[in-house]
């Protein structure tokens, strides 16, 4: 019997009626003769609501108690879904992350899954049950509840698929697949049928909200196929897999992602000598803040400028850390801007085609869009610009690279 893992996001299970609809889809899969494991998010908006409650007490709330709180959203939906399945005549059981044996490290609010004891889920499957598991959560080896970072139930679903050697990991959401860019910005955006996990990882890391980047990373590493599907419409969705045979013949650029949740920090006039970068970024990493783009200019008169981006949520804390570093090596100035956006073009075709970056820059220049930072990888070019430029930049690039065709 094949094992199918299905994940339903918050909008798919936002009401009891929608949960009933989801239950029907699960039943179809079960009646097809498969073993079905379902991973669910909290009802849409619930995790934010819980988080906001804690923020009333402490606007910068973090850590263990926050996880105890925000993990409860998923405990509501697993129970409601299991109850619905039972009501429809199917044997089902709900499991929290801890009950399902999902062991994580102890980095609260951003924990990583370390192992899954698959015997728990397997035993229930073997007894004919549909198993409903809470996404987004796990437990440390000491029994503390953890969460996996926002959007983390995607990662739960992929990790469970790996642990059970599932045939496919189906991620059900409110869109019918992955698009060349956000259709709300570019109405000409097209659904992608098949994309490599490598490209999807870049798109997700660069701001595409469809899947949590960690989920894609996990799937690529263990070679599990993910299919993104709509809960509300029939269709084949988007397949994300390692294999890129079908992808080879298509466009050079697969998609354009953007990220409005970033901020930029610059420290000016730091000594141009070995070890400075690690002295600046070390304290930031210690605070568990992810640094993304990093640019250091060529030093002049023994001094250099150092610029990098961090998540907008971490802007204040990163700035504080930077101001401390600035004192330590008497830097001239710390400046920051949290009204920026990062726009990234992604495609494996970049490996074999030259001139993509220069075309991107000239298209932006023709539209009077000023670029403040640039970074590239083998299959990605990212730029940082003022957030007011977002719509225009995405639209002109989408068109210039024929993504609307
Ligand atoms: N409920 C969590 C969130 O809103 C996890 C998820 O939906 O994937 O981020
Ligand atoms: Mg999500």
């Amino acid at each position: 019997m094949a094992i199918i893992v299905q994940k339903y996001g918050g909008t798919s299970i936002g009401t009891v009626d929608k949960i009933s609809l989801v239950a029907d889809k699960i039943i179809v899969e079960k009646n097809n003769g498969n073993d079905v494991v379902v991973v669910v998010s909290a009802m849409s908006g619930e995790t934010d609501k819980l988080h906001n409650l804690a923020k009333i007490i402490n606007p910068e709330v973090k850590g263990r108690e926050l996880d105890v709180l925000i993990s409860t959203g998923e405990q509501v939906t697993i129970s409601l879904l299991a109850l619905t399945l039972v009501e429809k005549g199917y044997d089902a059981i709900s499991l929290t992350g801890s009950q399902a044996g999902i062991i994580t490290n102890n980095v609260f609010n951003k924990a990583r899954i370390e192992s899954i004891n698959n015997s728990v889920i397997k035993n229930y499957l073997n007894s004919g049950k549909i198993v409903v598991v809470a996404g987004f959560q796990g437990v440390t080896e000491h029994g503390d509840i953890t969460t996996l970072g926002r959007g983390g139930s995607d990662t739960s679903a992929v990790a469970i698929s790996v642990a059970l050697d599932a045939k496919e990991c189906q991620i059900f959401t409110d869109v019918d697949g992955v698009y060349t860019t956000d259709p709300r910005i570019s109405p000409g955006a097209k659904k992608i049928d098949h994309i490599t996990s490598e490209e999807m990882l870049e798109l997700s890391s660069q701001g595409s909200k469809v899947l949590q980047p960690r989920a894609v990373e996990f799937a690529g590493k263990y070679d599990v196929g993910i299919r993104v599907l709509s809960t509300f419409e029939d269709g084949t969705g988007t397949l994300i897999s390692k294999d890129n045979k079908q992808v080879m013949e298509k466009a050079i650029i697969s998609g354009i992602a953007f990220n409005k949740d970033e901020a930029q920090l610059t420290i000016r006039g730091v000594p141009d000598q070995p070890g400075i970068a690690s002295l600046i970024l070390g304290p930031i990493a210690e605070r568990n803040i992810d640094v993304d783009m990093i640019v250091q200019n060529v030093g002049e008169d023994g001094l250099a400028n150092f610029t990098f981006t961090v998540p907008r949520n971490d802007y204040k804390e990163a700035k504080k850390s930077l101001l401390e570093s600035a004192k330590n090596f008497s830097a001239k100035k710390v400046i920051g801007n949290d009204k920026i956006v990062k726009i990234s073009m992604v495609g494996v075709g970049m490996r074999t085609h030259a001139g993509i970056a220069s075309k991107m820059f000239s298209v932006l220049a023709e539209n009077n869009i000023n670029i403040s930072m640039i970074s590239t990888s083998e299959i990605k070019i990212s730029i940082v610009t003022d957030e007011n430029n977002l719509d225009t930049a995405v639209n002109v690039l989408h068109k210039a690279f024929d993504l609307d065709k």
Side-chain angles (χ1 to χ4, degrees):
M1 229 190 252
I3 299 175
I4 300 283
V5 174
Q6 298 192 326
K7 180 254 167 178
Y8 291 92
T11 47
S12 305
I13 47 169
T15 63
V16 171
D17 286 344
K18 285 186 178 167
I19 290 178
S20 171
L21 211 131
V22 161
D24 293 338
K25 292 180 85 81
I26 295 165
I27 288 168
V28 169
E29 211 51 71
K30 177 75 182 163
N31 288 344
N32 282 341
N34 294 307
D35 278 338
V36 192
V37 178
V38 188
V39 176
V40 289
S41 299
M43 288 178 161
S44 51
E46 283 306 314
T47 310
D48 281 331
K49 238 186 248 170
L50 293 164
H51 197 176
N52 288 338
L53 280 176
K55 279 188 194 159
I56 300 173
I57 302 161
N58 172 1
E60 318 235 321
V61 62
K62 280 196 167 130
R64 182 186 186 279
E65 302 313 323
L66 180 62
D67 279 350
V68 173
L69 176 69
I70 61 178
S71 61
T72 59
E74 275 73 11
Q75 196 166 330
V76 172
T77 46
I78 52 170
S79 155
L80 291 176
L81 179 56
L83 285 170
T84 308
L85 286 163
V86 169
E87 205 54 39
K88 289 179 189 271
Y90 286 77
D91 201 3
I93 185 165
S94 68
L95 299 173
T96 63
S98 158
Q99 289 172 322
I102 301 175
I103 308 298
T104 72
N105 64 11
N106 62 0
V107 181
F108 294 107
N109 319 146
K110 299 184 191 175
R112 279 186 181 260
I113 296 176
E114 287 186 335
S115 65
I116 297 181
N117 171 8
N118 67 12
S119 64
V120 184
I121 298 179
K122 275 200 168 152
N123 286 341
Y124 284 120
L125 288 177
N126 289 341
S127 67
K129 287 186 177 13
I130 297 170
V131 182
V132 183
V133 184
F136 179 54
Q137 56 177 264
V139 67
T140 67
E141 54 176 353
H142 302 297
D144 289 314
I145 296 172
T146 52
T147 65
L148 310 179
R150 297 309 302 270
S153 31
D154 294 340
T155 302
S156 309
V158 172
I160 289 170
S161 303
V162 173
L164 296 173
D165 199 15
K167 190 170 142 205
E168 196 169 76
C169 178
Q170 303 172 343
I171 307 269
F172 286 90
T173 178
D174 54 351
V175 291
D176 63 347
V178 179
Y179 276 71
T180 49
T181 195
D182 187 339
R184 282 168 299 192
I185 296 218
S186 283
K190 293 271 180 295
K191 183 174 80 75
I192 302 169
D193 292 326
H194 185 186
I195 188 167
T196 63
S197 20
E198 193 186 13
E199 288 170 302
M200 193 62 217
L201 179 57
E202 290 282 14
L203 288 175
S204 303
S205 322
Q206 301 307 324
S208 156
K209 296 271 194 290
V210 187
L211 288 173
Q212 199 200 33
R214 212 170 272 177
V216 185
E217 190 186 344
F218 220 100
K221 191 164 158 196
Y222 295 99
D223 206 4
V224 203
I226 302 183
R227 194 179 289 278
V228 175
L229 295 154
S230 161
T231 307
F232 309 108
E233 285 167 47
D234 289 332
T236 52
T238 298
L239 176 66
I240 299 144
S241 69
K242 228 172 167 173
D243 148 66
N244 65 356
K245 274 184 222 112
Q246 300 170 46
V247 184
M248 292 302 269
E249 306 127 34
K250 43 153 243 201
I252 299 165
I253 304 299
S254 299
I256 302 174
F258 53 84
N259 189 345
K260 295 190 271 191
D261 300 324
E262 294 213 35
Q264 178 180 320
L265 281 161
T266 299
I267 178 162
R268 285 223 175 114
V270 294
D272 185 16
Q273 63 195 39
I276 282 297
S278 85
L279 283 176
I280 295 171
L281 296 179
I284 297 197
E286 272 160 33
R287 292 170 197 238
N288 265 312
I289 298 175
D290 292 325
V291 170
D292 181 37
M293 272 183 171
I294 305 170
V295 175
Q296 189 191 329
N297 72 333
V298 178
E300 213 177 48
D301 303 327
L303 294 177
N305 299 334
F306 200 91
T307 303
F308 56 92
T309 60
V310 294
R312 217 175 263 190
N313 270 338
D314 295 322
Y315 176 65
K316 276 198 193 129
E317 201 177 328
K319 195 166 180 187
K320 212 160 60 183
S321 157
L322 206 54
L323 283 166
E324 277 165 26
S325 312
K327 258 188 264 153
N328 292 342
F329 31 77
S330 51
K332 288 217 172 95
K333 204 172 179 183
V334 169
I335 51 172
N337 182 359
D338 63 353
K339 300 276 181 289
I340 55 153
V341 64
K342 185 175 63 178
I343 301 170
S344 307
M345 296 204 314
V346 171
V348 285
M350 276 186 211
R351 287 210 176 97
T352 43
H353 288 81
I356 308 297
S358 65
K359 179 169 170 186
M360 179 182 192
F361 304 151
S362 70
V363 169
L364 293 172
E366 279 157 25
N367 288 277
N368 229 342
I369 290 165
N370 192 41
I371 301 171
S372 71
M373 289 174 88
I374 298 170
S375 82
T376 62
S377 79
E378 241 193 321
I379 63 162
K380 178 204 74 187
I381 308 167
S382 304
I383 61 118
V384 168
T385 185
D386 190 283
E387 67 179 9
N388 292 327
N389 294 327
L390 174 65
D391 289 27
T392 315
V394 169
N395 275 304
V396 295
L397 291 172
H398 196 264
K399 223 174 158 158
F401 286 90
D402 289 335
L403 288 172
D404 49 354
K405 297 270 160 66

